[in-house]
Amino acid sequence: ASTTANAYKMVVGPDDAIHATVYLNRFSGSSSLYDSLSPVAGTSNFQLALVKYSSNAQRLLWYHFYNALDFSDVGDLAVDKDRQVYLSLKGLNGKTLFGVSTGTSGTPAFLLWYRSNGNLHKTLNTMLTAHTAVFTGIQAVDSNTLYVSGTTNRDSLIFCGTTMRVQGRNRGPNRSFHFIFQLRFFDTIGWFATSNHHEGTFFSSTLAVTGDFVYGSFDHNNDTLVMGGFFKRAPTLIRCVLYKFDRLGNMLWFIDNPSPVSAIINTIQGNDLVYTGLFGSSVFLDPFTLRGRSTANAFLARITDYNIVRGKVKAGPYCAGDSLKVPYTKSGVFDTSNVFTAE
């Protein structure tokens, strides 16, 4: 191990191998990356390492070192069903990174695709937009379908030839907005959605994919939310937003959190939405109000996702033009924003 180390992200792949991004400070001299047979010696004081270990953490299967002084942030890490790896980084200006110059203004986001053997296969970046951007959430189905979320600090973001524009108007000098998009074949935007401006700079976001649905969250810090055809104005600040999209890019619902202290969502899993976060003095999770004992308190919450299940249809035969009733059961809270189409 190095003198000091900080792990950013860790993901277990379908082969149970362990993938992680690690910041290594003073990684030189007698320092090394652990391997039960052949430890990898340190070569530089400040390194950002992407590593893959065997399931028992004894063998270092492959690794990449990057100069940590070239990047201001590590976004997210994902592994698809074919064991391919995807990493997002936020570069600094005035650098040459992955064969491109980052210029003198803005800090671009990079999205990297590694084959299962660790070879860097392809890179994408936001260089066409001379503004700061960060990809904070990645979910990978396979190399044909990725979902990416993040934040940018202006009115639009250009990525893979698609311009994603903010919803609504600027609300302050430190404007930024949330985005989510589906990336097809690692070169084409399948669909995207954006929010209105946040009241602040950059905020965290997370993503999770379950079946044909994409769940996400982000800090918003505005009394108005505009996204995916939805609009809401709240009497207090909307601190945190959770949302659900289908695989076609339709926003199905969102839940806002008007807590006086922003609840940062860290994990979203399952069809029943299970999520964790942090809050200060109190947080309102309808219908519960939680009160903290310190300035940083953790919570774990579960809500029943909106769901509709088709029942059994009476056996035919039926003729053209006949009508039949399809029984169904539903769970969760439905309102006029939920639209169901028979198939």
Side-chain angles (χ1 to χ4, degrees):
S2 66
T3 304
T4 58
N6 180 37
Y8 288 103
K9 300 287 182 178
M10 185 176 71
V11 179
V12 177
D15 55 354
D16 290 332
I18 302 166
H19 308 73
T21 51
V22 185
Y23 172 70
L24 303 169
N25 186 14
R26 297 190 294 274
F27 185 58
S28 59
S30 60
S31 302
S32 63
L33 282 178
Y34 175 77
D35 183 274
S36 60
L37 296 180
S38 303
V40 178
T43 58
S44 176
N45 281 335
F46 306 100
Q47 290 282 354
L48 174 64
L50 170 63
V51 298
K52 179 178 180 178
Y53 277 94
S54 59
S55 59
N56 62 3
Q58 296 302 301
R59 295 306 315 275
L60 180 59
L61 303 179
W62 54 258
Y63 63 91
H64 287 274
F65 288 143
Y66 299 109
N67 186 348
L69 300 180
D70 289 340
F71 302 95
S72 62
D73 193 18
V74 178
D76 202 7
L77 178 67
V79 182
D80 70 19
K81 64 182 183 64
D82 300 317
R83 306 189 306 279
Q84 300 183 107
V85 179
Y86 307 88
L87 172 66
S88 63
L89 298 171
K90 181 181 175 184
L92 292 172
N93 56 43
K95 305 288 185 179
T96 299
L97 304 174
F98 308 107
V100 297
S101 173
T102 60
T104 58
S105 64
T107 54
F110 288 86
L111 186 60
L112 314 179
W113 170 13
Y114 303 84
R115 294 294 197 184
S116 58
N117 61 4
N119 291 338
L120 178 59
H121 180 63
K122 191 173 181 180
T123 67
L124 298 173
N125 61 71
T126 59
M127 288 302 302
L128 287 178
T129 304
H131 307 305
T132 300
V134 58
F135 297 143
T136 51
I138 308 174
Q139 286 289 299
V141 178
D142 52 33
S143 60
N144 295 334
T145 307
L146 273 72
Y147 297 95
V148 181
S149 67
T151 306
T152 187
N153 70 339
R154 287 296 185 267
D155 298 330
S156 64
L157 175 71
I158 302 174
F159 190 68
C160 289
T162 297
T163 301
M164 293 172 269
R165 299 188 185 281
V166 68
Q167 300 295 312
R169 295 179 178 272
N170 175 34
R171 297 272 304 182
N174 295 320
R175 62 191 187 275
S176 60
F177 67 90
H178 176 75
F179 57 81
I180 174 177
F181 59 83
Q182 181 195 67
L183 184 61
R184 299 284 293 162
F185 310 108
F186 212 78
D187 63 7
T188 303
I189 301 297
W191 56 262
F192 71 89
T194 60
S195 74
N196 57 316
H197 280 120
H198 307 316
E199 287 282 4
T201 52
F202 287 93
F203 293 87
S204 64
S205 66
T206 58
L207 279 181
V209 174
T210 302
D212 288 333
F213 300 105
V214 183
Y215 298 93
S217 73
F218 63 96
D219 290 344
H220 190 51
N221 200 27
N222 197 329
D223 62 2
T224 302
L225 174 67
V226 183
M227 186 174 180
F230 288 81
F231 173 88
K232 180 173 183 177
R233 185 181 297 277
T236 58
L237 288 179
I238 299 173
R239 298 289 188 173
C240 180
V241 178
L242 288 82
Y243 58 74
K244 179 180 181 180
F245 280 82
D246 65 20
R247 61 183 175 85
L248 300 178
N250 300 304
M251 189 172 177
L252 304 180
W253 52 256
F254 77 89
I255 300 169
D256 65 275
N257 187 337
S259 167
V261 178
S262 179
I264 302 171
I265 302 302
N266 296 321
T267 306
I268 304 174
Q269 294 179 347
N271 220 19
D272 279 1
L273 203 61
V274 178
Y275 59 100
T276 63
L278 299 176
F279 68 98
S281 59
S282 66
V283 63
F284 178 68
L285 303 172
D286 192 11
F288 304 104
T289 297
L290 308 180
R291 303 196 182 279
R293 295 178 178 271
S294 65
T295 57
N297 306 276
F299 70 83
L300 173 66
R302 173 182 174 181
I303 62 172
T304 300
D305 190 14
Y306 310 123
N307 191 29
I308 185 167
V309 178
R310 187 184 66 185
K312 292 183 178 180
V313 178
K314 185 178 179 181
Y318 296 99
C319 298
D322 285 354
S323 61
L324 67 157
K325 293 183 178 180
V326 180
Y328 66 90
T329 58
K330 60 185 181 180
S331 64
V333 180
F334 289 82
D335 56 35
T336 55
S337 66
N338 297 104
V339 178
F340 302 96
T341 302
E343 296 181 353

